Amino acid sequence: MTELCHSSPVRRLSHPAVLIAGILLIAMNLRAPFTSIAPLLERLQAALGFNATAAGLLMILPLLAFVVVSPWVPRLARGLGLERSLFLALVTIAAGIVLRVQGSMLALYLGIGLIGAGIAVGNVLLPSLVKRSFAQHVALLTSCYVLTMGIMAAIASALMVPLAQGSSAGWQYAMLIVVVLPLVTMGVWWPQLSRRSLPAAAKEAEKGAARPVRQAAVWHSPLAWQVTLFMGINSLLFYTVNSWLPSMLADNGFSAEKAGSLHGLLQLASALPGLILVRLMPRLKDQRLIAFATPCMSLAGFIGLWLMPKWALVWVLLLGAGSGASFILALSFMGLRARDAMQSASLSSMAQTLGYLLAAMGPPLIGALYDMQGNWQLALMVCAVLSVLMAGVGWLAGRDRQLPEASASE
């Protein structure tokens, strides 16, 4: 859902280094405020009195916000400009962080929903900002901000339990301290507000409205559904393990601090494949082998957690690397399998909308399985089976093929 943008002729108000710092800081806000909740889930359940199913619903709110908010982001950017829209996203994330620690279930849910809405705006617009300002270095800067996003998420996850234990305010203090991230970023981003870049995709959207055959051709293509399922299953598995990993580890005898550290390692491991795949992907004509292999890494991780949980360090690394590499592949397929920019946009819209809807089913369903069984064995078996299905879909999506051209009669 990337929106390309252009800027009107304005005076450059800040050094490129400051702009890069702003981009990296914004990236730090697009995962950590949400994923760092997982190490504290058991504390939240004890304090507010909700079960694993309700906790699963809590963890999917940002996904639902992405599905709902993302289609409106281009209109927001046309009205406010790219820079001010990103600033508004940071304000929304900060407001959500403050609201979620007010001590009630309603405040927690509303706060997480606000955080998800702000992250959705950032997810859509940050690639546009990179494209506008650093068009010759998109791959490099994108890999840098994805890595930065993972590193900050890893740090936040690892610190949540020690922060909660070290303060009389407990989980509320740990979850509130994250507000430092958007506040610092707003301060660094402030000089950019004098600029007002508008999305260049507005005209393309008008053209697309007159060419519904492209959209129809995508939705009727088996290849498009293969790409969509590949992304959707991977997102389901990642957000499931992201939500429940600390609880799985705690049930197998790991301390809260160790579980939080391993959860942070999961975030870091999911970002590292980008450093390799960004350079490798353009050289691969056929991606079947790698699209089959990366889900197998996740499969090994789930089987390992199921049968040999004491080796969790190995399984977490496999799960993070497998899901991170698969996510990058899914994004790449949206361009590689399309014949032109309009078809790519249609495929991206289909894959991300349905993919995140599918992903939203994971945490609450796995939480419900835990509530029924009282352990994670069946949940991990289901995740392993889904990994096998994803590997098969990946083999099909990775073929060197493109979507069919739409005929004028369609």
Side-chain angles (χ1 to χ4, degrees), residues 169-255:
W171 65 268
Q172 290 171 298
Y173 172 76
M175 290 174 60
L176 180 61
I177 200 68
V178 183
V179 78
V180 171
L181 274 176
L183 292 178
V184 170
T185 306
M186 281 187 271
V188 175
W189 192 247
W190 185 265
Q192 305 298 329
L193 298 186
S194 297
R195 305 188 66 179
R196 186 172 179 269
S197 301
L198 301 176
K203 295 182 179 179
E204 291 297 323
E206 294 173 0
K207 294 177 183 177
R211 296 168 63 189
V213 294
R214 289 287 186 182
Q215 186 78 9
V218 168
W219 281 79
H220 289 110
S221 168
L223 179 58
W225 282 100
Q226 291 155 14
V227 172
T228 298
L229 283 173
F230 184 78
M231 178 172 184
I233 296 174
N234 182 64
S235 297
L236 185 155
L237 293 174
F238 174 74
Y239 283 103
T240 295
V241 74
N242 181 78
S243 299
W244 293 119
L245 179 64
S247 297
M248 292 177 181
L249 295 174
D251 279 10
N252 282 285
F254 286 80
S255 67

Side-chain angles (χ1 to χ4, degrees), residues 271-288:
L272 293 177
L275 298 177
I276 300 172
L277 289 181
V278 165
R279 299 184 180 276
L280 180 62
M281 284 296 292
R283 304 177 185 178
L284 295 176
K285 183 179 181 181
D286 185 304
Q287 294 83 33
R288 283 180 296 179

Side-chain angles (χ1 to χ4, degrees), residues 324-390:
S326 296
F327 179 66
I328 294 171
L329 281 169
L331 294 180
S332 301
F333 287 157
M334 294 170 197
L336 293 171
R337 301 296 170 255
R339 294 181 179 273
D340 55 39
M342 287 304 300
Q343 200 176 59
S344 176
S346 295
L347 178 58
S348 175
S349 175
M350 174 184 175
Q352 295 204 44
T353 300
L354 295 183
Y356 281 111
L357 281 174
L358 181 60
M361 299 178 187
L365 288 178
I366 296 301
L369 287 177
Y370 177 81
D371 284 337
M372 289 189 299
Q373 299 291 318
N375 59 59
W376 296 103
Q377 302 303 309
L378 181 58
L380 289 169
M381 289 173 61
V382 170
C383 290
V385 170
L386 288 173
S387 298
V388 173
L389 177 60
M390 182 183 164

